[in-house]
Amino acid sequence: DISKRKAGTENESGVTVKSLLNGDLVPGRMVRVEAQFLTGNFKIEKVTHMIDTHAVTFYSDVEGITI
């Protein structure tokens, strides 16, 4: 169970969330998002992990659906 996302948005097909890099975020996993404008339980559909050592960027972008 993952909580406390950095940012999140909701749209007609589900949610998009950005968090600090987390290898536990994988498609099919259920997560709980708790953010200022988005709270709920979601099933991960797609994850893109971003690592850029030059820009010191370590994020996971997650797309999910409401459950």
Side-chain angles (χ1 to χ4, degrees), residues 2-38:
I2 309 300
S3 63
K4 306 279 186 201
R5 293 285 147 246
K6 180 172 178 159
T9 59
E10 190 167 16
N11 57 48
E12 62 280 348
S13 61
V15 296
T16 302
V17 176
K18 178 176 286 210
S19 78
L20 294 177
L21 182 66
N22 187 331
D24 289 334
L25 298 172
V26 294
R29 184 156 195 173
M30 306 301 174
V31 295
R32 171 133 184 104
V33 176
E34 295 179 2
Q36 185 175 2
F37 299 106
L38 176 66

Side-chain angles (χ1 to χ4, degrees), residues 49-64:
H49 299 291
M50 293 194 262
I51 302 170
D52 183 347
T53 57
H54 298 290
V56 191
T57 301
F58 303 96
Y59 291 108
S60 296
D61 286 330
V62 178
E63 295 178 24

Side-chain angles (χ1 to χ4, degrees), residues 13-15 30-31 41-45 63-67:
S13 61
V15 296
M30 306 301 174
V31 295
N41 296 311
F42 305 93
K43 179 180 177 185
I44 298 174
E45 294 288 309
E63 295 178 24
I65 56 173
T66 304
I67 55 171

